[in-house]
Amino acid sequence: MKSTERVPARHLRRLKQVRAEVAAEAARIIATEGQHNYRAAKKKAAERIGASERLALPSNIEVKEALRTYQNLYGGVQHQSNLDQLRTVAIEAMRLLEVYNPRLVGSVLDGTADVHSRIALHVFCDSPESMVLHFLENSVPFHQEQRQKRWHDGTYRTIPLIIFELCDTAVELSIFDPIILRQAPPSPIDGKPQQRATLADVECLLAESLTPAAGTGPL
């Protein structure tokens, strides 16, 4: 009887280990293969490892932490340099769109962006058509997309997107009604209100990154 009671504990330990392996492989896929859909990365990782999708898929939070670990181990100076460049372009885009109260979100803000990442901004206006008109009047090439987003009440909303290039970098604008400035939409990672940053916030982030640490400058 005692031996059978120990089986569930061993099973749980093994399941936890497999989930960690899938999270690590999903993180590697995101970091190196340009796959930014967490669910797709997890399914691909489980398939490679030979793990059951039904039992062994880690949470998005577990994958995010594994991605941070991977980038800390293998990203080094190149990762930080790429991140600084993306934030520099984000600042330029936010200045150009300042009338629309832009907010930086996603991987460029949280520091997990890679060379394949888009700069993701939330912008706010009364109608998507006015944003389209802004780009047409300024002769800026762009294209439109849509994304289904799960909201705080469990319903799904269709979010209009505009994608354009700035300094050879893709910038994705999610267009929201101005009332959404009061509460951020749910994060696709953990469902909590999404972290957002103003232009001033991003300028501070970049300045902190580019400022040499005390004691590391020339003598």
Side-chain angles (χ1 to χ4, degrees):
M1 183 68 177
K2 292 183 179 179
S3 62
T4 59
E5 289 175 351
R6 290 194 295 268
V7 173
R10 292 200 299 270
H11 174 74
L12 289 174
R13 285 196 297 271
R14 175 56 184 159
L15 181 60
K16 185 176 180 179
Q17 178 184 348
V18 172
R19 284 171 64 96
E21 291 172 0
V22 173
E25 178 61 16
R28 192 193 67 78
I29 290 169
I30 292 169
T32 63
E33 299 182 17
Q35 171 59 265
H36 295 123
N37 183 300
Y38 273 47
R39 178 162 182 79
K42 289 188 289 187
K43 292 182 70 174
K44 189 172 185 179
E47 181 180 341
R48 287 183 180 178
I49 292 174
S52 166
E53 289 184 20
R54 185 173 64 86
L55 296 176
L57 285 189
S59 68
N60 288 344
I61 296 174
E62 290 173 283
V63 175
K64 174 76 79 173
E65 290 306 311
L67 179 57
R68 291 187 189 280
T69 299
Y70 184 94
Q71 291 172 330
N72 287 338
L73 287 173
Y74 303 109
V77 175
Q78 184 176 359
H79 170 69
Q80 188 60 51
S81 176
N82 177 65
L83 186 60
D84 290 343
Q85 175 60 24
L86 287 170
R87 287 174 174 171
T88 298
V89 178
I91 287 170
E92 183 173 348
M94 295 173 82
R95 287 172 177 165
L96 291 172
L97 298 165
E98 196 163 7
V99 67
Y100 298 106
N101 297 302
R103 300 291 189 268
L104 180 65
V105 299
S107 60
V108 177
L109 175 58
D110 67 31
T112 59
D114 55 50
V115 293
H116 306 287
S117 297
R118 287 177 174 179
I119 294 168
L121 299 176
H122 288 179
V123 290
F124 305 88
C125 58
D126 292 329
S127 71
E129 290 75 17
S130 64
M131 180 65 69
V132 169
L133 185 61
H134 172 87
F135 279 83
L136 291 174
E137 289 178 342
N138 289 279
S139 301
V140 178
F142 69 96
H143 70 273
Q144 295 176 266
E145 296 178 6
Q146 291 183 336
R147 179 171 299 142
Q148 291 293 312
K149 193 169 186 64
R150 185 180 176 89
W151 217 251
H152 297 287
D153 60 3
T155 61
Y156 284 85
R157 300 187 185 185
T158 300
I159 308 302
L161 309 176
I162 285 180
I163 293 87
F164 70 102
E165 284 204 358
L166 183 63
C167 302
D168 297 320
T169 302
V171 181
E172 174 188 289
L173 307 179
S174 296
I175 305 171
F176 293 98
D177 188 279
I179 198 172
I180 305 301
L181 268 169
R182 300 178 183 176
Q183 182 183 32
S187 165
I189 303 300
D190 58 13
K192 297 178 181 178
Q194 191 167 15
Q195 182 183 12
R196 303 188 295 194
T198 65
L199 172 58
D201 294 332
V202 184
E203 288 173 334
C204 287
L205 271 178
L206 184 61
E208 289 172 2
S209 174
L210 298 178
T211 300
T216 61
L219 297 177

